[in-house]
Amino acid sequence: MELNRLDYCIMKLLNKKECTSFFESMTLQEIMEVTHTSRPTLYRKMMNLREQGYVDKGCKATQADTFYLLKKGVSIVENKGEMKDD
């Protein structure tokens, strides 16, 4: 698992905002406003989290992609970063 503090903060934000389904998701712009991260950095982070199975793309908001937390990401946040063996 190659997560860093910003990855965890992004997932924590998505969980706090209850972005856990295709229709309940946040745009990069909405996440940037909270994390104060540049668009290119945040986009790379989201693609990395997506590849690792923590987040996925949600429905489009106008022309913007949205992102939501998958069960694997929710598990990390709820366990405060601790991995549990299932």
Side-chain angles (χ1 to χ4, degrees):
M1 176 173 75
E2 301 235 357
L3 295 175
N4 63 30
R5 187 175 182 175
L6 180 55
D7 296 330
Y8 181 74
C9 288
I10 292 167
M11 291 192 298
K12 193 173 174 181
L13 171 65
L14 291 172
N15 192 56
K16 180 180 177 182
K17 298 291 185 174
E18 297 181 3
C19 297
T20 56
S21 72
F22 183 80
F23 292 107
E24 296 169 338
S25 49
M26 291 180 77
T27 65
L28 289 177
Q29 185 63 40
E30 291 169 333
I31 298 168
M32 286 169 39
E33 290 172 6
V34 177
T35 62
H36 306 288
T37 309
S38 70
R39 181 176 291 278
T41 298
L42 183 58
Y43 184 79
R44 272 193 319 272
K45 291 285 185 190
M46 297 309 286
M47 292 301 103
N48 186 40
L49 289 170
R50 188 172 182 215
E51 286 174 14
Q52 294 181 41
Y54 294 107
V55 302
D56 203 2
K57 284 188 178 184
C59 63
K60 291 270 189 184
T62 311
Q63 293 184 349
D65 288 331
T66 63
F67 296 88
Y68 67 98
L69 207 52
L70 295 173
K71 288 182 183 183
K72 184 177 177 181
V74 171
S75 177
I76 289 288
V77 173
E78 288 179 352
N79 294 312
K80 298 185 188 317
E82 300 286 322
M83 286 296 291
K84 283 194 169 184
D85 294 329
D86 291 330

